[in-house]
């Protein structure tokens, strides 16, 4: 009896149960339709206020032949695309050529002379912080017999490995050295067709990102608080979606380019971010967006501080330290503190509900009362509220506390129930699409 009960409670999660095809199609239709219509509303607002926004934010000329202007106010995208066109892309190509010949490239760097070089140094030092912390802890964990002078040379190669030097993605020291030491790590094994397809895919991502900031001036509108207060509610929802989706596409490019270069060196980079429209939990967002940073946090902060080995309170403490580090590493501003706390509370709440639902009496009651399909629908219902808070926290991260307050007031305070309920319905559909993706892509 004990073994049978144990097997019963080790079944796959019921929220991954299959739903009828027509129901998934209905969720997909509503999800895609809400995206497209809300983006259309953002486009209309962008065109209605184009002259005012252009005079305030100095829009640039876009590359489309129809004369669209380009919103340059997303600093990170503008910085990396300009720097990439002027220098980085050629340096990365040079690295690939030199690496193929010598398998080693440690370029010299100088102190900054311009503002752009200052930010490049800032980004680079932030990544170096993660790398030398990774090396230092791995070195401390080694046995005395494993330590030698060669560790310094491996550390130097790891720290200054150029494709990952400026902006990542981060690879832990142990993973880096193991992959570099593999006998089958050879450029000649890279399929040329795969390389060409990857380049084409990165180009399409770049084209999509550029198109988004030429058709929708979401960053400029977000920087204009007065305008954000008066746009229609559909446009406001579209702005939120456009902001987080642009952030996703941007990092497909920023991580995709170095991932391709390191692949040519025989190194497997962390997986690229998963589409944020299929994210329905704080835990999933952290696990699947910046995979390298998530692995780093787990290995060097969460697990060493106890992790899940000391019960729920231990999880709270360990994850709190991890989010505290992320807050400080990103700059330590007050809005970043609020963003980190919201994410920490979200992760704790999700784990708390999961823990309660996994108790044998509770799980047994749920399984006896509800079918697998209804359990999944209930999970998606709860995830709609979670996704709303997840998007709100990301808007705080991208725009600051005042932007988060505007969205909160307009959607959840002033917009109740006329705006709040339809948005939660659409977020329910998003969650169902995310669950179906996980079910079909385990």
């Amino acid at each position: 009896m004990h073994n049978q009960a144990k097997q019963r409670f080790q079944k796959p999660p019921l929220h991954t149960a299959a739903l009828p095809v027509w129901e998934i199609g209905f969720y997909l239709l509503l999800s895609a339709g809400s995206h497209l219509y809300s983006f259309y509303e953002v486009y209309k607002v962008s065109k209605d206020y184009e002259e005012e926004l252009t005079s305030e934010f100095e829009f640039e000329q876009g590359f489309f032949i129809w004369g669209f202007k380009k919103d340059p106010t997303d600093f990170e995208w503008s910085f990396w695309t300009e720097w990439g066109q002027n220098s980085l892309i050629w340096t990365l190509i040079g690295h690939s050529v030199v690496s193929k010949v010598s398998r080693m490239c440690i370029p010299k760097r100088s102190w900054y002379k311009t503002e752009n070089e200052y930010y490049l140094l800032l980004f680079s030092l932030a990544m170096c912080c993660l790398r030398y912390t990774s090396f230092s802890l791995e070195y401390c964990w080694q046995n005395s017999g494993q330590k030698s002078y060669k560790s310094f040379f491996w550390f130097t190669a790891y720290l200054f490995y150029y494709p990952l030097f400026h902006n990542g993605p981060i690879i832990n020291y142990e993973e880096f050295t193991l992959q570099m030491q593999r006998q089958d790590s050879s450029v000649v094994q890279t399929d040329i067709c795969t390389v060409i397809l990857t380049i084409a895919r990165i180009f399409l991502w770049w084209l999509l990102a550029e198109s988004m900031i030429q058709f929708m001036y979401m960053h400029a509108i977000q920087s204009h608080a007065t305008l954000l207060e008066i746009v229609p509610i559909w446009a406001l929802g579209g702005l939120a979606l456009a902001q987080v989706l642009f952030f996703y596409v941007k990092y497909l490019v920023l991580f995709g380019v170095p991932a391709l270069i390191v692949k040519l060196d025989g190194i497997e980079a962390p997986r690229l971010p998963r589409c944020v429209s299929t994210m329905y939990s704080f835990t999933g967002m952290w696990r699947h967006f910046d995979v390298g940073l998530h692995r780093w946090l787990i290995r060097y902060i969460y697990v060493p501080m106890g992790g899940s080995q000391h019960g729920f309170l231990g999880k709270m403490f360990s994850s709190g330290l991890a989010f505290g580090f992320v807050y400080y590493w990103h700059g330590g501003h007050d809005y970043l503190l609020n963003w980190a706390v919201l994410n920490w509370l979200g992760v704790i709440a999700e784990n708390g509900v999961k823990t309660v639902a996994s108790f044998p009496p509770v799980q047994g009651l749920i399984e006896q009362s509800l079918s697998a399909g209804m359990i999944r629908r209930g999970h998606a219902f709860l995830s709609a509220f979670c996704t709303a808070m997840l998007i709100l926290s990301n808007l705080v991260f991208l725009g600051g506390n005042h932007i988060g307050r505007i969205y909160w007031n307009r959607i959840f305070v002033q917009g109740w129930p006329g705006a709040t309920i339809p948005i939660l319905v659409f977020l329910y559909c998003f969650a169902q699409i995310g669950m179906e993706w996980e079910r079909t892509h385990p």
Side-chain angles (χ1 to χ4, degrees), residues 298-320:
I298 293 295
R299 182 166 180 81
Y300 301 119
I301 297 180
Y302 183 76
V303 171
M305 297 311 300
S308 59
Q309 301 302 312
H310 300 285
F312 186 70
L313 291 178
K315 279 186 178 181
M316 290 183 63
F317 176 72
S318 301
S319 59

Side-chain angles (χ1 to χ4, degrees), residues 134 136-143 146-147 299-300 304:
S134 175
S136 299
L137 290 175
E138 295 288 354
Y139 187 79
C140 290
W141 294 338
Q142 287 179 351
N143 298 324
Q146 296 176 296
K147 298 178 180 179
R299 182 166 180 81
Y300 301 119

Side-chain angles (χ1 to χ4, degrees), residues 234-277:
W234 267 101
L236 188 70
L239 284 167
L241 282 176
Q243 283 279 340
V244 295
L245 282 171
F246 179 82
F247 189 74
Y248 158 67
V249 176
K250 174 172 66 176
Y251 270 90
L252 286 179
V253 177
L254 296 183
F255 283 173
V257 172
L260 172 61
I261 301 298
V262 302
K263 189 176 183 64
L264 295 176
D265 283 346
I267 299 175
E268 193 68 33
R271 293 190 313 275
L272 294 179
R274 176 177 145 183
C275 179
V276 292
S277 290

Side-chain angles (χ1 to χ4, degrees), residues 14-35:
L14 291 177
H15 72 261
T16 60
L19 294 180
V21 175
W22 68 264
E23 185 175 349
I24 295 299
F26 178 70
Y27 294 145
L28 183 60
L29 180 64
L30 283 182
S31 298
S34 63
H35 276 73

Side-chain angles (χ1 to χ4, degrees), residues 385-426:
F385 296 89
C386 182
T387 306
M389 294 300 101
L390 176 62
I391 294 175
L392 181 65
S393 73
N394 286 330
L395 291 172
V396 171
F397 174 76
L398 296 172
N401 293 329
H402 64 292
I403 297 299
R405 280 193 293 268
I406 291 174
Y407 277 96
W408 172 263
N409 288 331
R410 291 207 57 194
I411 293 176
F412 296 102
V413 179
Q414 301 168 8
W416 175 264
T420 310
I421 293 178
I423 286 175
L424 290 174
V425 169
F426 288 122

Side-chain angles (χ1 to χ4, degrees), residues 362-377:
V362 177
Q363 186 175 2
L365 178 62
I366 293 174
E367 291 183 13
Q368 291 172 9
S369 304
L370 301 173
S371 66
M374 287 305 298
I375 291 175
R376 170 170 164 170
R377 295 182 186 99

Side-chain angles (χ1 to χ4, degrees), residues 119-416:
Y119 285 113
L120 184 66
L121 177 66
L122 205 63
F123 289 132
S124 303
L125 290 177
M127 297 307 302
C128 285
C129 170
L130 299 182
R131 284 192 287 270
Y132 60 64
T133 301
S134 175
F135 165 79
S136 299
L137 290 175
E138 295 288 354
Y139 187 79
C140 290
W141 294 338
Q142 287 179 351
N143 298 324
S144 57
Q146 296 176 296
K147 298 178 180 179
S148 70
Y149 68 92
K150 293 181 180 179
S151 297
F152 173 77
F153 298 107
W154 276 113
F155 166 64
T156 305
Y158 172 63
L159 184 63
F160 294 103
Y161 182 65
Y162 191 71
L164 307 177
F165 183 78
H166 294 297
N167 198 45
I170 184 65
I171 299 178
N172 295 342
Y173 175 76
E174 182 186 43
E175 297 176 9
F176 178 83
T177 53
L178 287 176
Q179 293 195 62
M180 289 293 286
Q181 292 171 353
R182 285 187 316 189
Q183 293 298 318
D184 61 347
S185 176
S186 176
V187 177
V188 296
Q189 293 185 357
T190 303
D191 184 3
I192 187 63
C193 293
T194 302
V195 173
I196 294 174
L197 287 174
T198 303
I199 293 174
R201 195 158 52 235
I202 293 172
F203 173 76
L204 289 176
W205 294 332
W206 172 83
L207 184 63
L208 177 59
E210 285 288 320
S211 301
M212 290 180 72
I213 57 178
Q214 293 185 40
F215 284 97
M216 299 181 291
Y217 306 145
M218 59 271 194
H219 301 109
I221 294 174
Q222 180 174 276
S223 301
H224 198 296
T226 303
L227 184 56
L228 202 60
E229 292 274 13
I230 62 174
V231 297
I233 198 67
W234 267 101
L236 188 70
L239 284 167
L241 282 176
Q243 283 279 340
V244 295
L245 282 171
F246 179 82
F247 189 74
Y248 158 67
V249 176
K250 174 172 66 176
Y251 270 90
L252 286 179
V253 177
L254 296 183
F255 283 173
V257 172
L260 172 61
I261 301 298
V262 302
K263 189 176 183 64
L264 295 176
D265 283 346
I267 299 175
E268 193 68 33
R271 293 190 313 275
L272 294 179
R274 176 177 145 183
C275 179
V276 292
S277 290
T278 65
M279 302 283 193
Y280 55 91
S281 69
F282 285 91
T283 305
M285 184 71 177
W286 281 94
R287 183 174 295 160
H288 299 297
F289 191 83
D290 192 339
V291 177
L293 181 60
H294 178 260
R295 291 175 182 170
W296 192 98
L297 292 169
I298 293 295
R299 182 166 180 81
Y300 301 119
I301 297 180
Y302 183 76
V303 171
M305 297 311 300
S308 59
Q309 301 302 312
H310 300 285
F312 186 70
L313 291 178
K315 279 186 178 181
M316 290 183 63
F317 176 72
S318 301
S319 59
L321 288 178
F323 281 112
F325 174 84
V326 170
Y327 148 70
Y328 189 75
W329 182 71
H330 275 88
H333 302 292
D334 58 345
Y335 74 93
L336 292 173
L337 177 61
N338 293 334
W339 164 71
V341 169
L342 282 172
N343 277 265
W344 177 64
L345 292 175
V347 169
I348 292 302
E350 290 170 359
N351 278 277
V353 172
K354 184 178 179 181
T355 300
V356 171
S358 66
F359 288 149
V362 177
Q363 186 175 2
L365 178 62
I366 293 174
E367 291 183 13
Q368 291 172 9
S369 304
L370 301 173
S371 66
M374 287 305 298
I375 291 175
R376 170 170 164 170
R377 295 182 186 99
H379 185 203
F381 174 77
L382 295 176
S383 296
F385 296 89
C386 182
T387 306
M389 294 300 101
L390 176 62
I391 294 175
L392 181 65
S393 73
N394 286 330
L395 291 172
V396 171
F397 174 76
L398 296 172
N401 293 329
H402 64 292
I403 297 299
R405 280 193 293 268
I406 291 174
Y407 277 96
W408 172 263
N409 288 331
R410 291 207 57 194
I411 293 176
F412 296 102
V413 179
Q414 301 168 8
W416 175 264

